[in-house]
Amino acid sequence: MRRLLLLAWLVLPVFPGFSQDHPSGISGDNTPYIIPQTIFVGDKGRLVFPLGSAFAGTEGAVIQGAGLPRSNDLVITRVELERRGTTVRLLVDFQAYVPGLILLPPIEIASHTFTGLEVNISSILSVEQRGMVLSGPAEPLTAPGTAVMIYGTILGIILLLLALTLGGFWGKNRLGNFAERLKRRRVIRAMGKSLRRLRNAGADKEGETLEALSGEFRSFLGILTGTNCRAMVPRELLALPALGTADGLSPAAISDLFRRCDTLRFSGENIARDPVSGLLDEFKELTDLLEAAEKERNRQPQHDRPPEPDRKPGGVK
């Protein structure tokens, strides 16, 4: 007998009281309850409503999605009519957004309508704190180094504007001279290509070659000197400024070259190919002298360079 009592004393604590999700652990009570017992605003909970013997023959059913009832104070996420043997329970999963006693909307499931169901939602704030007004949001925290970046950017912009202002006075002439040198080199190279094109002209076109040579080279001189040279006779070319220090770049040498070209053009006789080729060679030498003079000028320091040829107003555009 003592052995039986000892065995009962060891085994009975292993088996706790049986419960069907009721807080008190007592079965057979038809009082609704919620799981967990205390639900705060925003928490998810479940209302368990044990039904009586009148629902003993009811089949189980579940409602989810669009068929769920709606309320302004809470959201019902699932409704189930659960059957366990002869016991039937109504399970309502919800999530409340206001504190206090909330009346659930009518619930229709398995041809039954349940009304008057209520749940009590607790508030995180205590009774004394509910009348208090929450303070405004805190000021945003700045990342480390933000002030340095902001003031550094402002200082950089100021220095850039100052550099642009000073550079406008100091670098204007330098930029202008650089652009002018690029233009002169481009024009000289273009004239050299024109001379090669005229040299490759077909036979019996010596007159057309001389006419094109005279016109294009006069335009070329007009761009370099800023004077309209297209209507000038060779004698008027003596008034042009010198294009360089070489003898072939003097106004007298250029005037003599155009004089011989015009004499050959307007002689009224048939023009042979050899004199035309000779003139093309001399104009090519003049172009080479101009290109060499430009390279020499670019190699010299700014203060040692010879002055640019004076440009008269109203020059060739």
Side-chain angles (χ1 to χ4, degrees), residues 19 22-26 29 37:
S19 171
H22 196 285
S24 63
I26 302 174
D29 191 359
Q37 295 183 9

Side-chain angles (χ1 to χ4, degrees), residues 178-226:
F178 179 73
E180 182 64 25
R181 291 197 303 271
L182 288 180
K183 178 182 177 181
R184 291 170 65 89
R185 292 181 62 180
R186 185 173 63 252
V187 170
I188 292 172
R189 291 178 180 178
M191 191 64 224
K193 294 180 180 180
S194 297
L195 292 175
R196 288 193 295 270
R197 176 177 53 83
L198 293 175
R199 183 179 296 276
N200 295 329
D204 300 331
K205 292 185 178 181
E206 286 76 9
E208 298 177 4
T209 300
L210 289 177
E211 182 178 0
L213 175 62
S214 178
E216 292 186 18
F217 216 91
R218 278 182 165 86
S219 299
F220 168 69
L221 291 177
I223 295 174
L224 294 182
T225 62

Side-chain angles (χ1 to χ4, degrees), residues 7 11 19 27 114 134 161 163 176 220 239 241 249 257 276:
L7 181 62
V11 174
S19 171
S27 61
F114 299 90
L134 297 178
L161 294 176
F220 168 69
L249 298 179
L257 190 59
V276 174

